[in-house]
Amino acid sequence: MKTRYSLLALLFFCLLSQFSNGQQKAASALIFGNQQYLNRTNTYDLAFENSLFVQQNNPWNPHNEARKKMVESELNFYRQLSATSIPSTGLDYDVKYHRLELRINPDTSIGKYIKGKVTTYFTTTISNFSLLQFDFATPLTCDSVYYHGVKLSAGNIIRPIDLIEISLPVISSIGTLDSVAIYYQGVPPTVPGFSNGTGYVNAKHNGSQNYTYTLSEPYSAYTWWPCKSFVVNDKADSLDVIVSTPVGFKTAGNGTLISETTVGSNVITYWKHRYPISAYQVCTSVANFVQYPAVPTIVNIGGTPMPYYNYLFPETNTVAAHGALDKTALMLTTFSSKFGDYPFKNEKYGHYSFGFGGGMEHNTFSGMHPGTYDQTGDWDIIAHELGHQWFGANVTCGSWREIWINESFATFAEAICAEFAPSVSSGQTGASWRGYHKSQAIYSGNQSQSIYVSDTSSIYSIFTPAVYVYERGAMVIYMLRTLLGDAKFFQAIQNYQYDPLLKNGNAVTADVQRHMEAVSGLDLSSFFNQWIYNTGFANYNSAGWNNAGTKIVLQLPQTTQYSALSHFDMPVAVRIQGGVGDTTIIVYDKGGVIYYDDNGVLSSSGSNIVQYDLSFVPTTVTFDAFNQVLANGSFTKNPGLSTLSSNFVKFSGNKKKLDVNLWWNVDNTIDLFSFDVERSIDGIAFETIGKIGAQLTPAQTNFSFIDRNCPMQDSYYRIKLNQKKGNSIYTKTIVINNSAANNYSVTPNPASDFFILKAMKSVSRINVKIYDGSGKLMRQLTNKKFDSNSSLQVSVSDMVAGNYYVEIQDVATGNSTTKIVIIK
């Protein structure tokens, strides 16, 4: 969702002819041509519906299981804030399929109205299941409920506020597939939220033309059909929407248009969607649309030809609109090359006109206000809603508290469009569009909230002020890209999109972190904790630089602003120019120590000072010239910053039996006093394990050291070069594999409730210790009998999500340490 205006213009109305209130008569009246339609050959995929029953006894996805507590916590929070509306938890069943059969007539004289039948297939996730709950607006009348083809008695149906509870015969087994059909009608209520609210809307375009549309984000789906409206992380596996409306109207919907069939004075439209979908992304709109282009544009997505087209109001079907909307084809291929193939390439993509003052992503068909595509220069909202097809539609936030997973990435996609498809962005570049996002994110009036949304009680609390989940979140994603480098970053993005636990499903912040860490090998716990859950930004206003010829030294002291934190871990981009030379250096500031960053490979400087050898003499140093980081800063040349005259050439090492041999050489030692050899077991906290004088002989430039006490695990080494003047600088950090980790496997990783430890060769007895990221011992198993034919299941169900270290103590081979990620 994105709006172009300061307030969201939501104008929702709907009209429909009046129907009988009698339950049996209403059930019969629902046929309204649909029964004739359904009886026609090749119009409805009954074979697909029947095939659902083959899926019985499917196990409940443990990834979703791990998120139950999070969702339940959010629902409890909502209940505490809402005195009237109590949403269903929906955690005791898993939605598989919806079929919506609706009657919509925008020209009816009685006000907005809807009448329909919703069939839902579900699988049980608890034993002895007997009460099926849907969120369902109280003003809508339930005419009847059918179960296994039999109409349930009125006593089986209870209507608490904004709910429908259906008592069923006890279903004893977990994973049992079942279904119900609900007949209903009424005037959908409007949910307060910006302008005229959200839900089911009747409006006018071109002054007098009636039309209807839906906008259900975040909670308003329940106002026009019975569903799980408050549980975002239970997607239906597929969807059919069948709408009867008077001739002269067209119906927009998710998925593939199967048919438009005229039956008397009605036209019946069948939309078929065979991808998972959240209730809030189910859409329908009825208007006198015209299709542009009349013959769909075919876009090649990874070898798959896919149709692209739009449903427009006749008065907005203009040359200027065509110029704006035609840019979408290039956006589709651009985003597919960066994020992975367009997720719904077997169906379609397009836009339809509606009354919200911006855009709203729905699977395969984004609703767009005409004001967002009425000029050839329009592009950003089109790009934003298209970006949502990957971030929001394919991988959806697992909780409204983490709406940034949808909106920040879609905002980020705008700048990707400007950078890699500049012909569509009306003169904007990636840097200039990032600059706009950065200016919003660091504005003093936009510092009161974090990216993580703590109050999810309404659309207001989730989306206003929008800057936090839009521009601020996008800047955090830009920083991840800056830190990892393009190759690793976009690989992580594609892995995230194709992750079988996330694809067509839901994600939380830990999932984004997990994929960024998996590709980069970095521990990004502090980065995510600081930037997602805190306010403010960083300042480098007292940064300094100096040079000696082509050698440049940079000093980067950080302060924070509008934050309770004293420091943000973050990448810093420094542009250095001189003569014909122009380069941008990326460093990583972690806890006040600057790390050299080579596309996500870090080595420590040991302080907030770093030194580089350039191919030119620097004359100008600029902080974040291309708007890549969430910080202000400026550089001043400081003659007091001295450089090392020696040129570091090489540092390497290897393992020989139980020892580690290290070698390094410099071109001269004129200004050097000594070398400190430092070792770490985590790449962060180093200890000095040896000290060597720099001028043992006048001409010596090669040095070595043997570590005879290397721990039985991966160890990190670096050399500290101490200058006679008192300054120092560090070499890169190298990693020596001296572990017994290959003796064991730890799966699954990430884990949610447990992991299984297996031996790769014969061992006897082991001790297992689990440490959190700070080194605190969380769990210990001692003297466990173990051999290559056995496995050990270790519970972690009571541990919070995060990074942990599993240490395996084996008296025969020494200690082995493996990093593991726990998700919830």
Side-chain angles (χ1 to χ4, degrees):
M1 175 191 289
K2 185 174 183 180
T3 179
R4 173 158 288 174
Y5 311 107
S6 57
L7 290 178
L8 304 180
L10 296 176
L11 305 173
F12 288 17
F13 306 94
C14 180
L15 297 172
L16 184 64
S17 55
Q18 188 168 8
F19 292 90
S20 167
N21 290 327
Q23 186 179 65
Q24 185 57 50
K25 186 176 180 180
S28 301
L30 183 61
I31 294 175
F32 54 68
N34 275 15
Q35 193 60 53
Q36 299 176 50
Y37 168 65
L38 293 177
N39 288 338
R40 298 172 67 92
T41 56
N42 299 321
T43 54
Y44 176 62
D45 192 358
L46 289 173
F48 168 78
E49 181 181 347
N50 292 334
S51 73
L52 289 169
F53 285 103
V54 179
Q55 304 175 28
Q56 292 194 50
N57 299 318
N58 283 348
W60 178 244
N61 188 327
H63 186 69
N64 291 336
E65 184 75 20
R67 282 152 171 73
K68 272 190 174 184
K69 293 179 181 178
M70 174 194 67
V71 176
E72 197 163 40
S73 171
E74 185 169 345
L75 291 171
N76 287 333
F77 172 80
Y78 186 91
R79 290 191 191 96
Q80 292 170 8
L81 293 174
S82 175
T84 58
S85 180
I86 303 176
S88 66
T89 63
L91 299 181
D92 49 6
Y93 69 94
D94 181 22
V95 171
K96 307 302 293 184
Y97 165 75
H98 294 298
R99 182 172 71 250
L100 280 65
E101 300 170 75
L102 307 173
R103 172 65 180 182
I104 300 174
N105 180 3
D107 283 340
T108 187
S109 61
I110 64 168
K112 67 175 180 176
Y113 204 88
I114 193 169
K115 185 180 182 71
K117 170 189 175 185
V118 173
T119 302
T120 297
Y121 283 74
F122 62 92
T123 55
T124 58
T125 63
I126 63 171
S127 58
N128 299 318
F129 179 92
S130 62
L131 184 65
L132 180 65
Q133 293 180 313
F134 294 107
D135 301 302
F136 189 44
T138 296
L140 297 177
T141 300
C142 173
D143 295 315
S144 58
V145 176
Y146 279 75
Y147 179 66
H148 292 193
V150 177
K151 180 181 174 182
L152 295 178
S153 67
N156 288 71
I157 304 166
I158 302 175
R159 293 298 310 274
I161 295 175
D162 291 339
L163 282 175
I164 182 170
E165 295 182 346
I166 304 167
S167 296
L168 302 176
V170 174
I171 303 172
S172 59
S173 299
I174 295 175
T176 300
L177 181 69
D178 215 328
S179 68
V180 297
I182 300 173
Y183 291 81
Y184 72 101
Q185 61 179 304
V187 178
T190 297
V191 176
F194 307 107
S195 193
N196 292 318
T198 61
Y200 181 89
V201 184
N202 176 274
K204 295 181 184 295
H205 68 88
N206 201 26
S208 60
Q209 297 292 318
N210 294 319
Y211 73 104
T212 66
Y213 68 94
T214 61
L215 195 157
S216 298
E217 189 177 22
Y219 301 128
S220 298
Y222 80 101
T223 66
W224 61 281
W225 65 290
C227 60
K228 280 189 183 181
S229 193
F230 293 84
V231 179
V232 69
N233 74 337
D234 186 3
K235 293 183 175 182
D237 293 349
S238 53
L239 172 77
D240 287 299
V241 178
I242 304 163
V243 178
S244 171
T245 195
V247 169
F249 290 105
K250 286 180 72 68
T251 300
N254 309 98
T256 300
L257 178 61
I258 300 301
S259 62
E260 291 176 304
T261 307
T262 300
V263 180
S265 61
N266 295 317
V267 59
I268 301 171
T269 304
Y270 172 24
W271 288 99
K272 172 182 175 180
H273 187 48
R274 290 298 176 264
Y275 290 91
I277 185 170
S278 299
Y280 82 90
Q281 288 171 327
V282 175
C283 69
T284 188
S285 183
V286 175
N288 61 333
F289 292 123
V290 293
Q291 180 177 308
Y292 171 78
V295 177
T297 299
I298 301 301
V299 184
N300 188 304
I301 307 294
T304 300
M306 183 195 74
Y308 163 73
Y309 54 90
N310 309 278
Y311 281 6
L312 308 180
F313 296 146
E315 70 275 13
T316 67
N317 187 28
T318 64
V319 172
H322 298 170
L325 293 169
D326 286 348
K327 298 175 179 180
T328 309
L330 179 55
M331 294 180 185
L332 275 162
T333 56
T334 299
F335 288 168
S336 292
S337 70
K338 297 300 178 184
F339 307 149
D341 284 356
Y342 170 67
F344 310 109
K345 65 180 182 179
N346 293 322
E347 295 187 350
K348 75 166 187 307
Y349 186 65
H351 311 93
Y352 64 92
S353 305
F354 76 162
F356 171 68
M360 174 61 206
E361 74 280 4
H362 302 110
N363 290 26
T364 75
F365 227 15
S366 293
M368 303 289 285
H369 189 278
T372 67
Y373 62 81
D374 60 349
Q375 302 293 325
T376 56
D378 289 337
W379 68 276
D380 58 306
I381 294 182
I382 297 173
H384 182 97
E385 304 309 333
L386 176 58
H388 269 310
Q389 299 300 306
W390 284 263
F391 305 99
N394 178 37
V395 181
T396 310
C397 62
S399 161
W400 291 110
R401 295 180 179 181
E402 310 204 53
I403 184 61
W404 80 275
I405 288 176
N406 292 12
E407 298 298 348
S408 300
F409 275 100
T411 306
F412 164 82
E414 300 168 20
I416 292 299
C417 180
E419 180 176 351
F420 293 101
S423 63
V424 308
S425 58
S426 305
Q428 293 286 350
T429 65
S432 67
W433 204 244
R434 288 193 300 268
Y436 165 69
H437 293 157
K438 178 175 178 176
S439 67
Q440 295 298 303
I442 65 174
Y443 174 61
S444 61
N446 293 336
Q447 305 304 321
S448 63
Q449 297 180 26
S450 66
I451 293 171
Y452 182 82
V453 178
S454 57
D455 182 354
T456 57
S457 59
S458 72
I459 189 172
Y460 290 114
S461 62
I462 294 173
F463 288 102
T464 59
V467 64
Y468 302 102
V469 297
Y470 286 75
E471 288 86 2
R472 180 178 173 84
M475 287 305 303
V476 170
I477 298 169
Y478 299 143
M479 289 197 289
L480 286 168
R481 178 187 173 191
T482 300
L483 174 61
L484 270 63
D486 275 12
K488 290 182 178 180
F489 173 79
F490 285 113
Q491 185 61 61
I493 289 295
Q494 293 189 27
N495 292 349
Y496 173 83
Q497 287 290 318
Y498 291 122
D499 184 339
L501 292 176
L502 306 180
K503 181 178 174 63
N504 296 318
N506 300 81
V508 294
T509 298
D511 294 309
V512 181
Q513 178 182 337
R514 172 168 57 91
H515 279 285
M516 294 295 166
E517 290 183 335
V519 168
S520 66
L522 301 176
D523 183 346
L524 298 174
S525 300
S526 59
F527 178 92
F528 276 86
N529 288 338
Q530 291 166 5
W531 286 108
I532 301 301
Y533 304 106
N534 290 279
T535 63
F537 55 89
N539 279 325
Y540 292 90
N541 292 326
S542 57
W545 72 279
N546 196 16
N547 72 293
T550 60
K551 297 180 186 295
I552 187 169
V553 61
L554 307 171
Q555 186 172 37
L556 290 158
Q558 184 196 115
T559 60
T560 62
Q561 194 166 352
Y562 305 109
S563 179
L565 298 175
S566 59
H567 189 274
F568 283 103
D569 289 354
M570 63 180 299
V572 179
V574 183
R575 186 182 187 185
I576 304 171
Q577 297 168 282
V580 295
D582 189 339
T583 187
T584 297
I585 290 171
I586 306 299
V587 299
Y588 188 51
D589 183 353
K590 185 175 180 64
V593 174
I594 303 300
Y595 290 74
Y596 299 95
D597 183 358
D598 181 11
N599 290 316
V601 177
L602 304 183
S603 54
S604 174
S605 73
S607 66
N608 65 5
I609 299 175
V610 292
Q611 178 174 304
Y612 286 89
D613 289 327
L614 306 172
S615 60
F616 58 89
V617 176
T619 58
T620 304
V621 180
T622 307
F623 182 87
D624 195 28
F626 303 106
N627 302 308
Q628 296 171 262
V629 302
L630 195 48
N632 284 325
S634 60
F635 278 93
T636 302
K637 189 165 186 179
N638 180 4
L641 281 175
S642 59
T643 62
L644 293 171
S645 62
S646 60
N647 180 29
F648 174 75
V649 176
K650 184 180 180 181
F651 173 45
S652 61
N654 66 14
K655 177 185 176 184
K656 186 175 182 181
K657 294 185 178 179
L658 297 179
D659 298 335
V660 171
N661 297 313
L662 305 172
W663 301 273
W664 65 99
N665 66 298
V666 296
D667 61 357
N668 69 77
T669 58
I670 294 174
D671 64 348
L672 294 179
F673 175 73
S674 65
F675 304 101
D676 292 347
V677 182
E678 297 186 353
R679 183 183 65 203
S680 171
I681 61 172
D682 59 7
I684 299 173
F686 283 82
E687 62 174 340
T688 300
I689 60 172
K691 187 179 288 288
I692 297 176
Q695 292 180 306
L696 301 180
T697 64
Q700 184 175 1
T701 59
N702 296 305
F703 299 87
S704 64
F705 181 83
I706 300 176
D707 182 8
R708 301 189 185 281
N709 299 297
C710 180
M712 292 296 293
Q713 62 186 76
D714 288 352
S715 295
Y716 301 78
Y717 293 90
R718 67 187 184 187
I719 307 299
K720 181 180 181 183
L721 288 73
N722 299 306
Q723 194 177 18
K724 293 177 181 178
K725 297 179 180 180
N727 294 336
S728 61
I729 192 168
Y730 282 80
T731 68
K732 68 178 182 179
T733 300
I734 64 172
V735 183
I736 301 295
N737 185 341
N738 194 36
S739 72
N742 58 351
N743 293 335
Y744 304 93
S745 68
V746 176
T747 57
N749 190 2
S752 58
D753 295 321
F754 63 86
F755 66 81
I756 296 174
L757 182 64
K758 291 184 178 180
M760 309 304 289
K761 65 179 185 179
S762 180
V763 295
S764 55
R765 292 183 179 273
I766 62 171
N767 299 323
V768 179
K769 295 181 180 179
I770 303 176
Y771 298 91
D772 66 12
S774 67
K776 180 181 178 181
L777 180 62
M778 304 298 295
R779 177 143 303 138
Q780 181 172 348
L781 305 175
T782 58
N783 200 27
K784 291 292 182 179
K785 187 176 181 180
F786 211 69
D787 58 45
S788 58
N789 297 318
S790 65
S791 62
L792 179 64
Q793 180 170 311
V794 181
S795 174
V796 293
S797 60
D798 58 336
M799 295 186 185
V800 299
N803 294 303
Y804 293 83
Y805 296 90
V806 180
E807 182 182 83
I808 305 159
Q809 297 176 338
D810 177 355
V811 294
T813 59
N815 292 354
S816 169
T817 301
T818 298
K819 181 178 178 181
I820 187 169
V821 179
I822 296 177
I823 60 175
K824 297 295 182 181

